[in-house]
Amino acid sequence: MYLIFIGPPGAGKGTQAKRICDHFSIVHLSTGVILRDEISKNSPIGKSAKTFIDVGQLVPDDVLLKKMSGRLAQNDCNNGYCLDGFPRTITQAKGLEQILTNLNQSLDAVVSIVADEEELINRLVLRGSTSGRTDDTPEIIRQRLRVYRRQTEPLIEFYEQQNLIKAVEGVGKITEITERILNTLV
Ligand code: AP5
Ligand code: MG
């Protein structure tokens, strides 16, 4: 099962992608986690990524495409994966198409998690008190939401044209939302 999770900051992409991956025994690949891991290692990619993440901007497309083309070619991806937070721009989505063609993989669905802005801001401000994430401050959360609307939301139309979008209401109990997602995937 090859899946993409798309949704605004705080929608629950990470929370749900992990649960869906456990269900299907496939790999969870969050580009946010991958980039934060590079930052913690103080690698060249991490140093550059930090300058974008800390201000709520996207890390450049070429960095993500290079990283993910290597990652998706690894053996553990053969059975499938949940991509969480990638692709995030039309350029990344087109780059991913090329990667998938080269690897003989094809997408089964794009899960679009929907939640209203007030809910998202409340969740992330709450998480900010314990997460240690430098981008979980009210000002940067608002910036991330603006970037999502402008750069990532157009992907829903892009994947709608390929009939891949499964829209799921992301407010409610975590277990119920997982059920909703699984129901769209049968
Ligand atoms: P990333 O780490 O992907 O952050 P994000 O998209 O802003 O989303 P979050 O991880 O904050 O939210 P989520 O949707 O995963 O929700 P979660 O499950 O955590 O990216 C961070 C940055 O990295 C970007 O801004 C960018 O700079 C860079 N980056 C990453 N990918 C990139 C790419 N492809 N291209 C360029 N740059 C890239 O849940 C949120 C909170 O809500 C948690 O506290 C959770 O416990 C809680 N929660 C979850 N579900 C529920 C529920 N049902 N009810 C109540 N609370 C809930
Ligand atoms: Mg996340």
Side-chain angles (χ1 to χ4, degrees):
M1 185 75 89
Y2 296 93
L3 303 172
I4 291 175
F5 282 71
I6 193 167
K13 300 182 294 298
T15 304
Q16 294 300 330
K18 250 180 245 148
R19 295 172 58 84
I20 298 297
C21 285
D22 284 348
H23 180 90
F24 291 113
S25 300
I26 55 177
V27 194
H28 174 215
L29 297 173
S30 157
T31 44
V33 170
I34 290 170
L35 293 170
R36 284 188 289 278
D37 185 49
E38 294 286 341
I39 293 174
S40 71
K41 290 191 293 199
N42 210 18
S43 69
I45 288 182
K47 280 185 198 164
S48 159
K50 184 168 168 54
T51 64
F52 296 95
I53 291 178
D54 283 355
V55 295
Q57 294 291 348
L58 296 184
V59 175
D61 291 329
D62 56 334
V63 175
L64 270 298
L65 284 168
K66 185 155 181 248
K67 189 86 193 159
M68 293 309 280
S69 74
R71 185 64 189 88
L72 299 182
Q74 288 176 20
N75 284 340
D76 61 349
C77 291
N78 287 343
N79 286 334
Y81 43 69
C82 293
L83 300 182
D84 157 8
F86 175 85
R88 244 178 162 95
T89 63
I90 295 286
T91 304
Q92 289 180 22
K94 290 186 173 159
L96 175 63
E97 281 184 336
Q98 196 57 57
I99 295 170
L100 294 173
T101 304
N102 293 343
L103 293 172
N104 231 338
Q105 296 171 352
S106 70
L107 295 172
D108 291 287
V110 176
V111 177
S112 162
I113 308 186
V114 184
D116 65 58
E117 202 136 308
E118 202 188 320
E119 170 82 15
L120 301 170
I121 293 172
N122 288 343
R123 284 184 190 178
L124 294 181
V125 170
L126 181 70
R127 187 180 67 185
S129 56
T130 55
S131 68
R133 269 181 62 167
T134 50
D135 57 350
D136 277 347
T137 63
E139 188 197 338
I140 303 300
I141 291 165
R142 283 201 181 77
Q143 176 59 23
R144 284 157 62 200
L145 282 164
R146 277 194 292 272
V147 166
Y148 173 78
R149 303 280 176 232
R150 197 169 56 234
Q151 294 182 265
T152 307
E153 211 166 46
L155 291 185
I156 295 177
E157 176 62 28
F158 179 87
Y159 285 118
E160 194 80 75
Q161 284 168 11
Q162 302 177 31
N163 264 324
L164 287 170
I165 291 285
K166 310 285 182 192
V168 173
E169 171 63 44
V171 181
K173 276 196 192 155
I174 287 170
T175 50
E176 283 170 9
I177 298 165
T178 308
E179 283 307 312
R180 281 177 212 156
I181 295 171
L182 288 173
N183 286 337
T184 69
L185 296 177
V186 288

